[in-house]
Amino acid sequence: MQRNKNFSPKELLIDILTDVFAGLLIALGTYNFSSYAKFPMSGFNGIGLIFYHLFNLPIGAVALVLNIPVAIICYKTLGRDFMLRSVRSIIITSLIMDYVAPLFPVYTGEKILAMVCTAVLAGLGYAMIFTRGSSTGGTDFILLTVKAKRPHLTIGAISFVTEAIIVLVGTILVSKDIDGLIYGLLISFILSAVMDKFLYGFSSGKLALIVTEHAKTIAPLIEATTGRGCTFLKAEGSYSGIDKDVIMCATNRKEMYGVRKAVKQADPQAFIIIVESNETFGQGFSENA
């Protein structure tokens, strides 16, 4: 959530353009695809949809009003700079929701297609705003506060858990059937997956931890097979007390097969742990942390 404190007109312009494009995606997903199908959505836009269906109130205006008390409560945790950027994103998204999205046709076709478009468009929009160190407010403030306190949790996972209640309320008050609840949960799940993929997926990969007595033999094989270097870690067996070598190797998903093959070839008795790596930066991967 921290950004360079030095003011840059270029960065400000990029932030505003990102807010406009992301706000358009969120608005199209919410107003043009979700509203007609009466899908319950999460977040303050989801609450705005409830008021839109029940009282014909504008979605963006409702979300903007609801953001005020939440912004005050979360101000100290999230900080002044982040809050000001978020206020800008909230205002831009709300205006686009109420004044630009209605200019586009509303989709009235298959619900399954409407659900996918809702989740993908909104998920991309939210993720774009997050990448610029901003937010659309509402439950975003809440989930980012949780993220600040529990950094090992992904934004998408927190979002799916914290916003399920809004989907349930929307189902009860608007769609009033089990199909609406299922669609709403699917939207939240796909939206969260799209967010995580956009935020983490482009630099994600696999991480192998290999416990072996033949590290000096295995590492050259891995490099020859995949082109990836390795790091040697020193370890000690808790039961035997014998010193062990642990090879750590980060790869993309396709290269991990080559790592496994090289290890099995050199030491069939090696103990291999392969885990997901949400983000991998450095030589051979993304250079931008």
Side-chain angles (χ1 to χ4, degrees), residues 1 142-155 158 200:
M1 289 179 285
I142 298 172
L143 71 90
L144 285 175
T145 300
V146 175
K147 175 70 174 176
K149 297 181 181 297
R150 298 288 186 271
H152 62 284
L153 299 175
T154 67
I155 288 176
I158 302 169
Y200 307 115

Side-chain angles (χ1 to χ4, degrees), residues 98-177:
D98 291 342
Y99 295 102
V100 178
L103 301 177
F104 293 88
V106 173
Y107 181 75
T108 59
E110 293 291 332
K111 281 193 171 184
I112 189 70
L113 294 178
M115 177 199 70
V116 172
C117 289
T118 296
V120 172
L121 290 174
L124 287 174
Y126 288 128
M128 288 177 63
I129 289 175
F130 282 135
T131 62
R132 299 304 299 174
S134 186
S135 161
T136 55
T139 52
D140 290 351
F141 287 163
I142 298 172
L143 71 90
L144 285 175
T145 300
V146 175
K147 175 70 174 176
K149 297 181 181 297
R150 298 288 186 271
H152 62 284
L153 299 175
T154 67
I155 288 176
I158 302 169
S159 176
F160 180 71
V161 173
T162 57
E163 298 179 348
I165 296 176
I166 300 176
V167 172
L168 181 60
V169 172
T171 300
I172 296 173
L173 297 179
V174 180
S175 60
K176 299 179 181 179
D177 58 38

Side-chain angles (χ1 to χ4, degrees), residues 23-24 26-32 35 41-53 55-69 86-102 126 136-138:
L24 181 61
I26 295 170
L28 290 176
T30 304
Y31 183 87
N32 300 83
S35 63
M41 287 188 65
S42 57
F44 277 15
N45 284 332
I47 298 177
L49 270 172
I50 295 174
F51 279 82
Y52 173 77
H53 289 299
F55 309 110
N56 201 31
L57 295 176
I59 301 171
V62 172
L64 186 60
V65 170
L66 291 175
N67 267 301
I68 295 174
S86 297
V87 168
R88 182 194 62 227
S89 299
I90 293 166
I91 294 173
I92 290 175
T93 301
S94 297
L95 290 175
I96 292 175
M97 183 81 70
D98 291 342
Y99 295 102
V100 178
Y126 288 128
T136 55

Side-chain angles (χ1 to χ4, degrees), residues 68-83:
I68 295 174
V70 176
I72 295 173
I73 294 172
C74 298
Y75 177 83
K76 287 186 178 180
T77 302
L78 300 178
R80 177 178 177 273
D81 187 46
F82 175 78
M83 191 63 65

Side-chain angles (χ1 to χ4, degrees), residues 208 210 218 222 225-226 228 249 251 255-264 272:
I210 306 152
I218 293 175
I222 292 176
T225 304
T226 67
R228 297 293 183 185
C249 181
T251 72
E255 292 167 340
M256 186 51 66
Y257 175 79
V259 172
R260 292 177 59 184
K261 184 177 180 181
V263 173
K264 288 300 181 183
I272 309 173

